[in-house]
Amino acid sequence: TLSVEEAGRYAGSSDDPARLAASFAGVASGLSNNGIIIRGNAPKGLLWRLEDVEISNPNHFANIATFGGGGLSALSSHVLSNSDFMTGAFPAEYGNALSGVFDLKLRNGNNQKYETTVQAGTIGLNIASEGPISKEQKSSYLVNYRYSTLALITPLLPPEVGVIKYQDMSFKCNFPARKLGSFSVWGVGSTDKQVHDAVADITKWDDPADMSDYKSFTAVAACGVSHKIPVGKKSNFSSVLAFTANAIEWEENELDTLLKPNPMINVQDWSYNIVASTAFSHKFNSKLSSKTGIIMTREFFDLNVEQAPTKGQPLYTFVDKNGNTDVLQGYTQIKYAATEKLSFNLGVHSLYFALNGNITIEPRLGAKWFVDEKNSLSFAYGLHSQSEPLMFYFAQNPSTLNLPNKELRFAKAHHFVVAYDRR
């Protein structure tokens, strides 16, 4: 479990829980981006979840330097609650991930009094507000907005960085409804822009970046409605309806010795998803409980990737596709306490990708034995699968226009974990 307080105090974290996660065993991250590398796996192998829904990579300048990472988290620590970070053999409720899971939660606002926080630093201006919507109903709101001030320190940054601007906003409104359970409306969104102009004097070209003009725009958004309601004394039902989106635009030109711009790269990657998730939990007795759920995702996309093989040659189209597809996930898991010292987690997860009909069934197993009050041993196993970014499937041969990757199977991994804990 990641503590928000720890994220705020961790040196160099910039209030970014992804950088705090790099302090854990088997986890690494870079200085230039916050991509999370778990046991050597690429950052794109990580599953990002917010309020029990899979979301796009929630980072500023996401997927520019590395798939699965970015420059800085788009979620401020002012809105995050304690969140779970899993590095292997995670339970059956988590799927479509190869290396790990970052399960983020938004906290509820103060339902008794109004509070406002203003922070200013070298990387941005942060304003947060929270308070009651109705004190009688104990409903509350929480909202946070950040705007980059990096433009103010542009003269101090390396020239190849160019001009960087970003902003983000996140919110959560919580509405307890007594017999109807509780409802919450939540969301997060961010936009980023980076512009770099080539050096107009060729005598001052010392680096390849000096002859490049490029501009990028990235955006991430997620919003949804969540509902939780108890069913009797031993069961509860939770459901989420959400919208998520991701956009990348990248254009790059390179000057020749006559200062003529030559197009090199043009990327347009727009996608958005509609997600419906529901789960039912039941406690049979003090030793046995279960959770079963289903996740349905309709993915819409508009993709275009063009690149010139060398400077001066025309752009070749490598991806040019729009449309939609479906992803369906289902799972069931049980937790059984055989004795006071021995407990088991058993489950199965299934993933179906309609684009090429790929399907997988994945067993999950975990066991923990408390040797005594201070020592415990645990073992876990899981089969895990993940689909690739959509543009991978639609990569086409520029001469034949066929799609050699469309039938690409899931990437898979067997996870084995053995752990010893001593308090």
Side-chain angles (χ1 to χ4, degrees):
T1 299
L2 277 176
S3 164
V4 174
E5 181 186 3
E6 289 176 345
R9 293 186 301 164
Y10 188 71
S13 69
S14 302
D15 253 4
D16 188 344
R19 296 186 185 274
L20 174 61
S23 65
F24 297 140
V27 184
S29 184
L31 294 175
S32 60
N33 63 79
N34 66 354
I36 299 176
I37 302 165
I38 302 175
R39 302 181 316 277
N41 285 281
K44 71 181 180 71
L46 182 73
L47 168 67
W48 292 93
R49 295 221 317 185
L50 180 66
E51 293 294 298
D52 298 326
V53 170
E54 180 178 351
I55 62 171
S56 301
N57 178 358
N59 290 299
H60 289 291
F61 304 100
N63 302 322
I64 293 293
T66 178
F67 278 114
L72 182 73
S73 174
L75 289 164
S76 169
S77 62
H78 288 287
V79 299
L80 286 176
S81 177
N82 290 348
S83 303
D84 293 326
F85 179 66
M86 282 160 267
T87 60
F90 23 94
E93 65 180 287
Y94 301 103
N96 201 18
L98 207 61
S99 64
V101 175
F102 219 137
D103 194 359
L104 300 166
K105 305 290 186 183
L106 300 176
R107 67 180 180 90
N108 294 329
N110 192 325
N111 59 16
Q112 296 300 314
K113 66 177 182 178
Y114 296 98
E115 296 179 310
T116 302
T117 301
V118 179
Q119 287 184 327
T122 55
I123 63 172
L125 175 68
N126 191 102
I127 302 174
S129 177
E130 61 182 294
I133 297 176
S134 170
K135 291 185 178 181
E136 294 181 357
Q137 300 295 328
K138 295 185 178 181
S139 57
S140 64
Y141 76 90
L142 171 66
V143 62
N144 186 92
Y145 174 75
R146 292 191 301 183
Y147 180 77
S148 117
T149 54
L150 285 176
L152 301 179
I153 60 172
T154 296
L156 304 177
L157 300 176
E160 62 269 18
V161 172
V163 177
I164 294 178
K165 296 181 180 179
Y166 67 81
Q167 58 184 332
D168 60 61
M169 182 176 181
S170 47
F171 71 91
K172 183 177 182 181
C173 299
N174 185 55
F175 303 95
R178 298 179 182 176
K179 293 183 179 181
L180 296 178
S182 64
F183 293 85
S184 62
V185 181
W186 51 269
V188 58
S190 70
T191 61
D192 321 300
K193 185 177 181 181
Q194 184 177 11
V195 178
H196 176 269
D197 295 324
V199 178
D201 186 353
I202 64 174
T203 62
K204 297 181 179 179
W205 286 357
D206 299 321
D207 186 89
D210 294 338
M211 62 184 75
S212 295
D213 275 324
Y214 60 81
K215 58 182 179 180
S216 70
F217 169 81
T218 57
V220 176
C223 61
V225 178
S226 302
H227 177 232
K228 296 181 180 180
I229 184 171
V231 180
K233 295 182 179 181
K234 294 185 176 182
S235 305
N236 65 76
F237 187 80
S238 61
S239 54
V240 184
L241 180 63
F243 170 86
T244 69
N246 180 71
I248 300 175
E249 293 186 358
W250 178 275
E251 184 179 333
E252 183 174 344
N253 300 309
E254 192 170 306
L255 302 185
D256 58 22
T257 54
L258 299 177
L259 300 182
K260 176 186 175 182
N262 295 273
M264 297 299 294
I265 298 174
N266 180 39
V267 175
Q268 308 284 328
D269 182 348
W270 287 79
S271 61
Y272 64 93
N273 303 330
I274 298 175
V275 185
S277 172
T278 184
F280 178 77
S281 300
H282 180 72
K283 186 175 182 179
F284 296 93
N285 51 52
S286 60
K287 292 186 175 183
L288 182 64
S289 60
S290 70
K291 184 176 184 180
T292 301
I294 188 170
I295 306 167
M296 298 170 287
T297 305
R298 170 62 63 92
E299 298 184 347
F300 299 85
F301 53 87
D302 189 356
L303 311 171
N304 182 261
V305 179
E306 300 174 311
Q307 185 173 8
T310 59
K311 183 165 62 175
Q313 291 189 330
L315 293 172
Y316 283 3
T317 300
F318 290 95
V319 179
D320 185 14
K321 195 72 174 178
N322 61 71
N324 62 80
T325 188
D326 296 302
V327 178
L328 181 65
Q329 299 179 70
Y331 64 88
T332 185
Q333 61 189 33
I334 62 171
K335 184 176 182 179
Y336 175 60
T339 68
E340 292 183 357
K341 294 186 175 183
L342 182 62
S343 61
F344 297 93
N345 285 295
L346 304 171
V348 62
H349 184 99
S350 182
L351 173 63
Y352 171 71
F353 189 31
L355 181 68
N356 55 20
N358 206 351
I359 189 170
T360 181
I361 297 176
E362 307 163 356
R364 311 287 173 83
L365 165 67
K368 190 168 187 177
W369 175 42
F370 289 92
V371 180
D372 53 38
E373 293 181 355
K374 294 184 177 181
N375 301 279
S376 64
L377 292 170
S378 55
F379 166 80
Y381 163 77
L383 174 61
H384 302 274
S385 305
Q386 186 181 41
S387 59
E388 302 294 339
L390 281 173
M391 66 168 59
F392 285 27
Y393 296 96
F394 298 113
Q396 65 187 23
N397 186 314
S399 56
T400 64
L401 301 183
N402 65 331
L403 305 177
N405 292 342
K406 190 171 182 182
E407 300 303 321
L408 196 64
R409 310 296 290 177
F410 291 130
K412 292 190 176 185
H414 293 282
H415 289 196
F416 297 90
V417 178
V418 178
Y420 166 69
D421 290 278
R422 177 175 174 83
R423 289 179 175 268

